[in-house]
Amino acid sequence: MTVTRALQQPCSGGPVVHTTPLVNFLERVQEAALDTFGEKNYDPKLYIDFSLKSNNLSATIDAFDKLPRSENGSVPVPDLQEFIEIWFGGAGDDMVYAEPADFVPEPEGFLPKVVNPEVRAWALEVHSLWKNLSGKVSGSVLDRPDLHTLLPLPEPVVIPGSRFREVYYWDSYWIIRGLLASKMHETAKSIVINLISLVETYGYVLNGARAYYTNRSQPPLLSAMVRTIYNRTGDLELVKNALPALLKEYQFWNSGIHKVTIEDGEANNHVLSRYYAKWNKPRPEASVKDKAFASKLSSDSEKEQFYRELASTAETGWDFSSRWMRNISDFTTLSTTSILPVDLNVFLLGMELDIAFLAKVVGDDATSERFLEASQARKQAINSVFWNEEKGQWLDYWINNGTTCEESHTWEAGNQNHNVYASNYAPLWIDLFNSDTSLVEKVRQSLESSGLVCMAGIATSMINSGQQWDFPNGWAPLQHMIVEGLVRSGSQEARSMAHDIAVRWIKTNYVAYKETGVMHEKYDVENWGAFGGGGLYKPQTGFGWSNGVVLAFLEEFGWPQDLKIDSVSYGTKIDEF
């Protein structure tokens, strides 16, 4: 068994980035709403997304403090309803509709490989959903940002949908992939310009464009967005504008509390990264729920660490999953900051390769060479720390069983997490891995026997924990990364598997759309057309990345004239179109 040692900078619980006075007050309103209206149809995020009608926060707080209260402290229903109506703008009111300037009902050259009329008609309906998800930040936000939790952005936006009324970071990559399939290049570019503005303001792309998200990021895919748009459009100006922000974001993920250096048994150092939010309080958008979970913990320090783990798990994009828990039956054992995740480091490897490519495009050969060298080092680190030859997968790595802020730790190879997650196959997405045909074949066989590949797509895990990033839920970005990695490889078996998974995913989206009239954020991969459940909020619709991945799959694989989408069944071997 290989012994490894991790060396980290010491920390005192880690940094904290504070929210605004408005956010702090809206948390009080959020709690009052739960006490007054009860849990039925209660979404805490609704109240934290309010904006002030008054230009005076102090006056609003005074009015709130003067509301009548019963013996148990709750505000009578009519009084709180009236207060909200008088003093607040509705959640989402500060995002105004703006039809994308480059939207046309049927773009020239749209999905040329989709020749089946039924599938093509549906694809055009999905394409039309971009109008429903498009908007721009209102002038009131730009004029008085202190009266809103929505952050000012310079360009029009595309949101995920439903309760997600603002721009989100990693969602935007797959939204862009769909927009490019829809020939909406300018809208895609606007998304990137908005994210660059967040890096310029905060030093990193935020989880989402809200004042309560300033303390964490999300999976870093900005460089992938820039490179993808450049490959389609040749927009050199976008690359030039983006590079300084990409370098700044890279520094954020590869320094301070995110950075971990591992010394292996051969005395080789490997630098990897982890998620680590700058926060140790309840998340404002879910404050009442976070406090309820934390009430099971005895000390303030335990609660602060649990709150940091909650926010750090939100930073992963996988909120929530058994993947981050020491005890999958106990939510308070979230320990995300103690994990080196496979997929985060795959995204950062992708960032290194993207920056190397983009720097070369603008003639900065020194930066290009530096990031090529960094990518080779990270590839070696990924294989040294995460790869498990016996399983044919890359496995997450637990740092230690205690505090994550000690200067050094002694690790063992047994600290790999042997549970099967879709993220174990994320390295396939990167050409440095999918170009190795023998490796791809080994990983393909592992995936085939893992149990993850189900009737209607790839399950997120094999553990049914009740959390939404676990079995039986399948999520669009995970399908896309694995399928795209397999199809890029030189293995015919891998390409065939990719095609098979994509067809099943397209079908389940289609069936669900025909039955419900909407696209969903996640799907139950055990049943055709069933949307996913679990987690801490109701399933949402809209839905940005689901739309984007369906359009990207249809662009890649098409759909033949003679294959009826309802005829696809589990176990059917689908040949290349």
Side-chain angles (χ1 to χ4, degrees):
M1 183 174 289
T2 303
V3 177
T4 62
R5 180 177 299 276
L7 305 175
Q8 295 175 240
Q9 295 180 352
C11 64
S12 301
V16 173
V17 174
H18 295 287
T19 55
T20 65
L22 175 60
V23 170
N24 294 334
F25 170 58
L26 290 175
E27 287 188 73
R28 294 181 59 202
V29 177
Q30 178 191 92
E31 292 188 10
L34 178 60
D35 291 340
T36 297
F37 303 136
E39 293 186 9
K40 186 178 181 181
N41 299 320
Y42 175 76
D43 183 352
K45 187 177 183 296
L46 173 71
Y47 302 95
I48 214 76
D49 288 352
F50 285 166
S51 56
L52 290 189
K53 286 183 179 178
S54 166
N55 290 338
N56 191 326
L57 176 58
S58 296
T60 310
I61 294 173
D62 288 343
F64 178 75
D65 289 338
K66 290 174 182 176
L67 287 173
R69 284 172 169 78
S70 64
E71 289 185 4
N72 66 5
S74 65
V75 179
V77 170
D79 294 281
L80 187 55
Q81 286 176 332
E82 183 181 23
F83 171 80
I84 289 172
E85 184 177 339
I86 291 172
W87 291 92
F88 295 120
D93 286 357
D94 43 13
M95 180 74 75
V96 298
Y97 178 70
E99 183 165 328
D102 52 356
F103 175 86
V104 295
E106 185 165 3
E108 183 179 351
F110 179 68
L111 303 184
K113 298 181 188 176
V114 179
V115 293
N116 180 292
E118 186 179 15
V119 177
R120 186 167 188 83
W122 171 60
L124 285 168
E125 289 186 49
V126 175
H127 162 72
S128 72
L129 295 176
W130 296 130
K131 292 194 298 181
N132 300 351
L133 301 174
S134 297
K136 63 180 180 180
V137 174
S138 71
S140 62
V141 178
L142 302 175
D143 294 338
R144 288 293 304 271
D146 57 311
L147 304 181
H148 304 264
T149 62
L150 188 67
L151 296 177
L153 294 172
E155 296 289 331
V157 304
V158 180
I159 63 171
S162 295
R163 77 196 290 266
F164 302 113
R165 309 171 184 92
E166 53 283 314
V167 168
Y168 282 81
Y169 184 5
W170 78 316
D171 296 64
S172 293
Y173 174 79
W174 287 280
I175 288 172
I176 285 173
R177 290 298 298 264
L179 289 170
L180 294 177
S182 290
K183 310 299 182 181
M184 295 171 64
H185 300 158
E186 287 304 310
T187 300
K189 180 179 174 180
S190 293
I191 292 173
V192 166
I193 292 170
N194 285 328
L195 300 184
I196 290 172
S197 76
L198 293 175
V199 178
E200 290 171 345
T201 303
Y202 300 98
Y204 48 94
V205 184
L206 308 185
N207 182 149
R210 289 276 180 185
Y212 50 79
Y213 286 144
T214 57
N215 48 51
R216 63 181 190 255
S217 186
Q218 254 194 345
L221 289 166
L222 179 57
S223 68
M225 300 179 210
V226 176
R227 185 171 183 175
T228 299
I229 293 173
Y230 175 79
N231 287 340
R232 292 289 183 106
T233 67
D235 191 332
L236 187 60
E237 197 62 31
L238 178 64
V239 175
K240 290 178 180 177
N241 290 339
L243 264 174
L246 296 180
L247 294 172
K248 185 180 289 188
E249 185 187 33
Y250 184 78
Q251 180 68 15
F252 168 77
W253 285 106
N254 290 277
S255 61
I257 203 66
H258 289 105
K259 177 182 175 182
V260 179
T261 303
I262 306 165
E263 183 184 315
D264 66 21
E266 288 72 45
N268 298 312
N269 286 334
H270 303 288
V271 177
L272 292 164
S273 300
R274 61 173 170 172
Y275 293 106
Y276 202 106
K278 300 178 180 183
W279 193 239
N280 61 1
K281 300 177 180 66
R283 295 167 300 146
E285 76 277 15
S287 179
V288 293
K289 294 186 176 183
D290 289 0
K291 287 179 180 177
F293 284 114
S295 67
K296 302 172 186 176
L297 302 172
S298 55
S299 70
D300 289 343
S301 61
E302 284 179 310
K303 290 178 181 179
E304 284 191 359
Q305 184 58 35
F306 173 61
Y307 292 142
R308 190 179 294 277
E309 299 297 345
L310 280 166
S312 299
T313 309
E315 189 171 61
T316 74
W318 283 46
D319 46 337
F320 291 95
S321 171
S322 61
R323 183 181 174 194
W324 315 116
M325 302 179 202
R326 294 192 185 278
N327 177 353
I328 62 174
S329 63
D330 184 353
F331 191 65
T332 64
T333 65
L334 283 172
S335 302
T336 306
T337 62
S338 295
I339 297 169
L340 293 180
V342 171
D343 47 0
L344 171 59
N345 287 281
V346 166
F347 296 140
L348 291 172
L349 172 58
M351 185 190 292
E352 289 159 349
L353 293 168
D354 293 337
I355 292 175
F357 171 82
L358 296 169
K360 190 78 171 177
V361 163
V362 301
D364 186 348
D365 291 346
T367 297
S368 180
E369 186 61 33
R370 178 161 60 92
F371 276 87
L372 280 177
E373 290 176 5
S375 71
Q376 289 298 324
R378 193 177 300 268
K379 178 189 177 185
Q380 185 178 0
I382 287 171
N383 282 334
S384 297
V385 177
F386 299 134
W387 176 249
N388 186 293
E389 179 69 23
E390 182 180 349
K391 284 183 167 286
Q393 304 169 30
W394 294 267
L395 306 178
D396 290 341
Y397 208 100
W398 287 87
I399 294 176
N400 68 337
N401 197 36
T403 175
T404 58
C405 296
E406 295 174 359
E407 290 189 9
S408 64
H409 314 268
T410 301
W411 288 8
E412 296 185 356
N415 285 356
Q416 287 183 329
N417 184 346
H418 284 247
N419 291 328
V420 179
Y421 295 96
S423 51
N424 294 5
Y425 300 92
L428 283 175
W429 200 36
I430 302 297
D431 289 346
L432 287 180
F433 295 107
N434 64 44
S435 59
D436 183 337
T437 305
S438 61
L439 174 67
V440 169
E441 183 55 25
K442 184 176 185 66
V443 176
R444 183 197 66 79
Q445 292 176 12
S446 169
L447 177 61
E448 193 168 54
S449 62
S450 68
L452 290 176
V453 183
C454 297
M455 176 187 297
I458 300 171
T460 309
S461 79
M462 294 306 299
I463 298 170
N464 194 338
S465 67
Q467 299 299 332
Q468 61 173 352
W469 286 82
D470 272 318
F471 189 85
N473 287 340
W475 292 81
L478 302 181
Q479 318 298 314
H480 187 258
M481 285 190 290
I482 294 173
V483 165
E484 190 163 70
L486 290 169
V487 83
R488 284 176 177 172
S489 75
S491 163
Q492 185 57 42
E493 291 85 358
R495 292 176 60 84
S496 178
M497 185 181 195
H499 179 264
D500 190 55
I501 294 167
V503 166
R504 299 187 194 287
W505 185 254
I506 291 167
K507 176 182 173 176
T508 205
N509 280 255
Y510 173 85
V511 172
Y513 184 88
K514 289 299 179 180
E515 290 180 353
T516 65
V518 291
M519 296 287 286
H520 298 267
E521 65 167 346
K522 56 185 181 285
Y523 293 86
D524 178 345
V525 295
E526 286 193 302
N527 299 287
W528 294 121
F531 57 86
L536 303 183
Y537 60 83
K538 291 183 178 180
Q540 302 295 295
T541 60
F543 195 86
W545 62 20
S546 297
N547 307 350
V549 168
V550 159
L551 293 174
F553 278 167
L554 288 172
E555 183 179 48
E556 172 71 33
F557 298 103
W559 201 278
Q561 172 80 26
D562 56 354
L563 180 62
K564 292 191 174 183
I565 194 164
D566 288 335
S567 70
V568 178
S569 60
Y570 187 60
T572 302
K573 186 63 180 174
I574 302 169
D575 297 326
E576 292 285 343
F577 292 167

